[in-house]
Amino acid sequence: MTDLTQLTLRQAHQALESGECSSLELTRATLERIERLEPKLHAFITLTPELALEQAAQADQLRARWRREGGELPPLLGLPLAVKDLLCLAGVRCTCGSRILENFIPPYTATSVERLLTAGMVVIGKTNTDEYAMGSSTENSAYGPTRNPWNLRHVPGGSSGGSAAAVSARLAAAALGTDTGGSVRQPASFCGITGLKPTYGRVSRYGLVAYGSSLDSVGAFGRTAQDVALVFSQMAGYDRRDATSMDLPLPAIQLEDDDSSLAGLRIGVPDEYFIQGIQPEVENAVRRAIVSFEALGAFVSPVSLPHTEYALPVYYLIAPAEASANLARYDGIRFGARLDSDNILDLFTRTRGQMFGAEVKRRIMLGTYALSAGYYDAYYGQAQKVRTLIKRDFEQAFEKVDLIAAPVAPSTAFRFDEHLDDPLAMYLEDVFTLPANLAGVPGLAFPVGFDSNNLPIGMQLMGPHFREDLLFRAAHAYQQTTDWHQRAPSLS
Ligand code: GLN
């Protein structure tokens, strides 16, 4: 019998439909593989095997009834899903990678997760993340880092490193992540899989624990563009519980097997993304992929995003500023663990001082400073103005081209500890992913090669607001004619 854990989401869906396997069999195979590989990888913070088996049994019953009586089935019925531990699932603890939420059990479920449950998916666990999604390596998780399935001495990227490692290691065919400054695309790239950061406003943030509210987005991981599109189409769309979610129709995403022509598609290549310091193997692989797009019929031309170099300082003012406000609620009284004291100020100080990790405290301090009286205009206010210029760069570029092609990160997955003592070096990892968050545009990362150490190289396509369909179409066409996305880490 085939190893069910090796199936893509779409293949697993077909196997369930044809009766080749049941959801219980698929879920058990998944849980067994997790049990075997999790000690090496540490992709999860919390596993939910009972819940998963119960949901899988229900899915099988529903399918059996459907075979007898017909009707309609939920589109992703019985397929396992891993969820980043920053998204709430009612009744299952949600730590956000932080000690302060070690025992937090949310009473409600995030809309994105809820919609996938309604679509029939089976939740197998909550995946590891940098504390409050602040980081690019999962080294900031209070529960220990996740390892890169391609090389256990290297980071999987972050902050959604647990989700990316899980999909790459075939512990789940699909996973949810969040992307505030690159946290889906960068780990997807480091782990050799496909990951989407949707348009800001496309997927509800309700039930996502807030980091930088004007930047946060809920994205998805899979091994193929097709798989990510399946998950995305089910969770996208208007939600009255998120005031920033947009009531716009979702264009049909039809990715046929033989659909590999990109005739007429205009792809822009920004010089500002091929800067000094980029690992030459990364640049070469991305440039080769761009040539492949041309061979598929796309028209490739240079395009300019002149304010790109300001994205890093702008993001590292705006994101910490928003984080400092969002994290004020974890004070030991309203949310989170409490270190008791007979004096209220001391209670706040002890709780927040001891329960938050170093990076979270650094961001709160940076953000509080940037927002403080006398500095607000010079830092936060100025950053907002430059953010508008960055957004305008994209608007102007998308008047000339349909998509923008760029590397995801300047290097492949780095080693543990390589950047841990140098926050600035860690922040520099985000230089190519931050602009899309500042502009609110969607981005899709997917593998386009390997470096000489057999570590995956990713590239990203960015598109105009609400044109995820174009990203999927282009990446799918590329994946129809290449096999980077089919390579698997050996892990033996
Ligand atoms: N690495 C970036 C940060 O630390 C982005 C994280 C994210 O997208 N959540 O803020």
Short mmCIF file of all heavy atoms in Angstrom, two decimals, residues 162-190:
data_model
loop_
_atom_site.label_atom_id
_atom_site.label_comp_id
_atom_site.label_asym_id
_atom_site.label_seq_id
_atom_site.Cartn_x
_atom_site.Cartn_y
_atom_site.Cartn_z
N GLY A 162 7.42 25.99 12.42
CA GLY A 162 6.84 24.68 12.73
C GLY A 162 5.94 24.19 11.61
O GLY A 162 6.03 23.03 11.18
N SER A 163 5.11 25.07 11.11
CA SER A 163 4.19 24.70 10.01
C SER A 163 4.98 24.32 8.76
O SER A 163 4.67 23.34 8.09
CB SER A 163 3.25 25.86 9.69
OG SER A 163 2.25 25.99 10.67
N ALA A 164 6.01 25.12 8.44
CA ALA A 164 6.78 24.85 7.23
C ALA A 164 7.55 23.54 7.35
O ALA A 164 7.57 22.73 6.41
CB ALA A 164 7.76 26.00 6.97
N ALA A 165 8.16 23.30 8.52
CA ALA A 165 8.90 22.05 8.71
C ALA A 165 7.94 20.86 8.64
O ALA A 165 8.26 19.81 8.07
CB ALA A 165 9.64 22.07 10.05
N ALA A 166 6.74 21.01 9.21
CA ALA A 166 5.77 19.91 9.21
C ALA A 166 5.40 19.53 7.78
O ALA A 166 5.38 18.34 7.43
CB ALA A 166 4.53 20.31 10.01
N VAL A 167 5.13 20.52 6.94
CA VAL A 167 4.73 20.21 5.56
C VAL A 167 5.92 19.64 4.79
O VAL A 167 5.78 18.66 4.05
CB VAL A 167 4.15 21.46 4.87
CG1 VAL A 167 3.94 21.22 3.38
CG2 VAL A 167 2.83 21.86 5.53
N SER A 168 7.09 20.22 4.99
CA SER A 168 8.27 19.75 4.28
C SER A 168 8.61 18.30 4.66
O SER A 168 8.99 17.49 3.82
CB SER A 168 9.43 20.69 4.61
OG SER A 168 10.66 20.10 4.31
N ALA A 169 8.43 17.95 5.94
CA ALA A 169 8.76 16.60 6.42
C ALA A 169 7.61 15.62 6.23
O ALA A 169 7.66 14.49 6.72
CB ALA A 169 9.16 16.66 7.89
N ARG A 170 6.56 16.07 5.57
CA ARG A 170 5.38 15.20 5.31
C ARG A 170 4.69 14.79 6.61
O ARG A 170 4.20 13.67 6.74
CB ARG A 170 5.76 13.95 4.53
CG ARG A 170 5.85 14.09 3.02
CD ARG A 170 6.92 15.00 2.56
NE ARG A 170 7.08 14.96 1.11
CZ ARG A 170 7.66 15.94 0.42
NH1 ARG A 170 8.11 17.03 1.03
NH2 ARG A 170 7.78 15.84 -0.88
N LEU A 171 4.70 15.70 7.60
CA LEU A 171 3.91 15.45 8.81
C LEU A 171 2.51 16.00 8.62
O LEU A 171 1.63 15.76 9.46
CB LEU A 171 4.56 16.13 10.03
CG LEU A 171 6.04 15.84 10.29
CD1 LEU A 171 6.50 16.50 11.59
CD2 LEU A 171 6.29 14.34 10.34
N ALA A 172 2.30 16.77 7.56
CA ALA A 172 0.98 17.29 7.22
C ALA A 172 1.07 17.75 5.77
O ALA A 172 2.10 18.26 5.36
CB ALA A 172 0.62 18.49 8.10
N ALA A 173 -0.01 17.53 5.01
CA ALA A 173 0.03 17.99 3.62
C ALA A 173 -0.23 19.48 3.54
O ALA A 173 0.16 20.14 2.59
CB ALA A 173 -0.98 17.22 2.77
N ALA A 174 -0.90 20.01 4.56
CA ALA A 174 -1.20 21.44 4.55
C ALA A 174 -1.10 22.01 5.96
O ALA A 174 -1.32 21.29 6.93
CB ALA A 174 -2.61 21.68 4.00
N ALA A 175 -0.75 23.29 6.03
CA ALA A 175 -0.64 23.94 7.34
C ALA A 175 -0.97 25.41 7.19
O ALA A 175 -0.82 25.99 6.10
CB ALA A 175 0.77 23.77 7.90
N LEU A 176 -1.41 25.99 8.31
CA LEU A 176 -1.66 27.43 8.33
C LEU A 176 -0.48 28.14 8.98
O LEU A 176 0.13 27.62 9.91
CB LEU A 176 -2.92 27.75 9.14
CG LEU A 176 -4.24 27.28 8.55
CD1 LEU A 176 -5.40 27.79 9.39
CD2 LEU A 176 -4.37 27.76 7.10
N GLY A 177 -0.20 29.33 8.49
CA GLY A 177 0.83 30.17 9.09
C GLY A 177 0.33 31.59 9.12
O GLY A 177 -0.78 31.87 8.68
N THR A 178 1.15 32.48 9.64
CA THR A 178 0.79 33.90 9.57
C THR A 178 2.01 34.64 9.04
O THR A 178 3.14 34.20 9.22
CB THR A 178 0.41 34.47 10.94
OG1 THR A 178 1.57 34.47 11.79
CG2 THR A 178 -0.69 33.66 11.59
N ASP A 179 1.74 35.73 8.33
CA ASP A 179 2.81 36.48 7.69
C ASP A 179 2.60 37.97 7.97
O ASP A 179 1.66 38.57 7.47
CB ASP A 179 2.79 36.19 6.17
CG ASP A 179 4.03 36.66 5.44
OD1 ASP A 179 4.43 37.82 5.66
OD2 ASP A 179 4.60 35.90 4.63
N THR A 180 3.46 38.52 8.83
CA THR A 180 3.40 39.92 9.19
C THR A 180 4.52 40.67 8.48
O THR A 180 4.40 41.85 8.13
CB THR A 180 3.55 40.07 10.72
OG1 THR A 180 2.51 39.32 11.34
CG2 THR A 180 3.47 41.52 11.18
N GLY A 181 5.63 39.92 8.27
CA GLY A 181 6.78 40.52 7.58
C GLY A 181 7.54 39.46 6.78
O GLY A 181 8.68 39.69 6.39
N GLY A 182 6.91 38.31 6.58
CA GLY A 182 7.58 37.26 5.81
C GLY A 182 7.43 35.87 6.41
O GLY A 182 7.99 34.90 5.89
N SER A 183 6.70 35.78 7.49
CA SER A 183 6.68 34.54 8.28
C SER A 183 6.04 33.33 7.63
O SER A 183 6.11 32.23 8.18
CB SER A 183 6.00 34.79 9.62
OG SER A 183 6.93 35.38 10.50
N VAL A 184 5.40 33.49 6.46
CA VAL A 184 5.01 32.31 5.70
C VAL A 184 6.03 32.08 4.58
O VAL A 184 6.56 30.99 4.40
CB VAL A 184 3.58 32.44 5.10
CG1 VAL A 184 3.34 31.37 4.05
CG2 VAL A 184 2.53 32.33 6.20
N ARG A 185 6.34 33.17 3.86
CA ARG A 185 7.18 33.00 2.66
C ARG A 185 8.60 32.57 2.99
O ARG A 185 9.17 31.72 2.31
CB ARG A 185 7.18 34.32 1.87
CG ARG A 185 5.86 34.60 1.17
CD ARG A 185 5.73 36.06 0.80
NE ARG A 185 5.57 36.89 1.98
CZ ARG A 185 5.89 38.17 2.06
NH1 ARG A 185 6.42 38.78 1.03
NH2 ARG A 185 5.69 38.85 3.18
N GLN A 186 9.20 33.15 4.02
CA GLN A 186 10.60 32.82 4.33
C GLN A 186 10.75 31.37 4.81
O GLN A 186 11.61 30.65 4.30
CB GLN A 186 11.17 33.86 5.30
CG GLN A 186 12.64 33.71 5.60
CD GLN A 186 12.86 33.18 7.01
OE1 GLN A 186 11.96 32.52 7.55
NE2 GLN A 186 14.01 33.43 7.60
N PRO A 187 9.94 30.88 5.76
CA PRO A 187 10.07 29.46 6.12
C PRO A 187 9.69 28.52 4.97
O PRO A 187 10.29 27.44 4.84
CB PRO A 187 9.15 29.29 7.33
CG PRO A 187 8.31 30.51 7.40
CD PRO A 187 9.03 31.59 6.69
N ALA A 188 8.74 28.91 4.13
CA ALA A 188 8.42 28.08 2.96
C ALA A 188 9.67 27.93 2.11
O ALA A 188 10.03 26.84 1.65
CB ALA A 188 7.28 28.70 2.16
N SER A 189 10.35 29.06 1.92
CA SER A 189 11.56 29.06 1.10
C SER A 189 12.67 28.23 1.75
O SER A 189 13.32 27.41 1.08
CB SER A 189 11.99 30.52 0.94
OG SER A 189 13.24 30.62 0.36
N PHE A 190 12.87 28.38 3.05
CA PHE A 190 13.92 27.63 3.75
C PHE A 190 13.63 26.13 3.78
O PHE A 190 14.56 25.33 3.90
CB PHE A 190 14.06 28.14 5.20
CG PHE A 190 14.87 29.42 5.33
CD1 PHE A 190 15.19 30.19 4.23
CD2 PHE A 190 15.33 29.83 6.58
CE1 PHE A 190 15.93 31.36 4.36
CE2 PHE A 190 16.09 31.00 6.72
CZ PHE A 190 16.37 31.76 5.62
#
